């Protein structure tokens, strides 16, 4: 496991947030935010507020296009966020790219759904999925659409929450 700071330790027994948090890291190809929104659009997830954090490298002139997805009611876009904790507190799940954010969300016990740009990221996400810690949605260019119902499955979210609580009960080097 990767070490995370104390701010991500969540001692509460439930996640009370209602929003969907999406955190998409940077890549040479910056299509991840649009890909995820198209995915949610196809899943007809219209009654949820989406808080999306885009990479500092995401082109500022393209942010307005993220706000115009038909069928998605409320999308808030954030860039250069100092702390994710306020957004974690408002969220019931997170969709994120594979990286340290996965371990931060697991330590916070936020049900975590992972999309990856690179093959190695997908392989690590698959390993975590085998441990019932995340749902691996696949590579951006090869999303597993059969897993979309898991985004709203209470049973799946409860399983991810409980397993993250069991395996990620502290911050720091103790989780390595």
């Amino acid at each position: 496991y990767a070490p995370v700071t104390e701010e991500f330790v969540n001692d509460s027994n439930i996640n009370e947030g209602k929003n969907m948090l999406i955190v998409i890291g940077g890549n040479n190809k910056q299509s991840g935010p649009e890909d995820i929104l198209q995915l949610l659009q196809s899943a007809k997830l219209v009654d949820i507020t989406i808080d999306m954090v885009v990479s500092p490298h995401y082109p500022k002139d393209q942010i307005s296009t993220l706000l115009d997805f038909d069928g998605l009611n409320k999308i808030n876009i954030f860039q250069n966020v100092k702390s994710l904790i306020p957004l974690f507190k408002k969220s019931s799940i997170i969709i994120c790219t594979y990286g340290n954010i996965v371990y931060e969300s697991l330590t916070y016990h936020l049900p975590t759904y992972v999309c990856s740009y690179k093959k190695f990221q997908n392989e690590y996400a698959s390993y975590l999925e085998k441990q019932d810690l995340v749902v691996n949605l696949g590579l951006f260019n090869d999303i597993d659409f059969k897993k979309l119902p898991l985004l709203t499955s209470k049973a799946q979210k409860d399983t991810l929450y409980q397993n993250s609580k069991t395996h990620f009960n502290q911050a720091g080097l103790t989780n390595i």
Side-chain angles (χ1 to χ4, degrees):
Y1 300 127
V4 298
T5 60
E6 287 289 329
E7 70 180 323
F8 292 100
V9 175
N10 181 4
D11 293 327
S12 73
N13 288 326
I14 61 168
N15 287 328
E16 296 179 15
K18 304 291 182 215
N19 295 3
M20 175 183 288
L21 178 59
I22 302 172
V23 181
I24 305 299
N27 189 32
N28 293 342
K29 181 180 146 189
Q30 292 285 346
S31 65
E34 293 92 349
D35 293 344
I36 289 292
L37 292 175
Q38 287 172 354
L39 179 75
L40 298 177
Q41 192 177 38
S42 71
K44 299 185 179 3
L45 295 176
V46 297
D47 294 330
I48 193 161
T49 298
I50 297 168
D51 291 326
M52 178 179 274
V53 179
V54 295
S55 161
H57 305 289
Y58 189 81
K60 291 187 186 332
D61 62 340
Q62 292 181 21
I63 288 177
S64 62
T65 63
L66 299 175
L67 300 170
D68 293 329
F69 273 79
D70 290 335
L72 298 177
N73 288 346
K74 179 138 170 93
I75 304 171
N76 303 306
I77 306 295
F78 302 90
Q79 192 172 33
N80 298 317
V81 176
K82 289 184 186 203
S83 173
L84 289 170
I85 295 301
L87 294 170
F88 275 30
K89 288 180 180 179
K90 293 178 8 182
S91 302
S92 62
I93 70 168
I94 181 172
I95 300 174
C96 58
T97 46
Y98 182 85
N100 207 56
I101 184 68
V102 168
Y103 299 97
E104 292 166 346
S105 65
L106 289 171
T107 302
Y108 196 81
H109 314 308
L110 199 53
T112 303
Y113 301 76
V114 182
C115 281
S116 299
Y117 284 112
K118 304 283 186 187
K119 184 180 175 190
F120 81 91
Q121 295 171 316
N122 190 53
E123 290 170 358
Y124 284 123
S126 292
Y127 173 78
L128 292 173
E129 183 176 53
K130 287 177 186 165
Q131 309 303 312
D132 270 337
L133 292 167
V134 305
V135 171
N136 181 17
L137 298 171
L139 292 161
F140 279 109
N141 63 358
D142 191 23
I143 295 292
D144 187 347
F145 286 93
K146 294 179 296 218
K147 292 183 180 177
L148 289 183
L150 298 176
L151 291 169
T152 56
S153 165
K154 182 174 178 353
Q156 182 65 52
K157 290 190 274 189
D158 289 347
T159 296
L160 295 174
Y161 172 79
Q162 289 301 327
N163 288 341
S164 68
K165 207 166 161 94
T166 299
H167 295 285
F168 290 84
N169 54 12
Q170 300 178 56
L173 297 174
T174 57
N175 282 328
I176 294 183

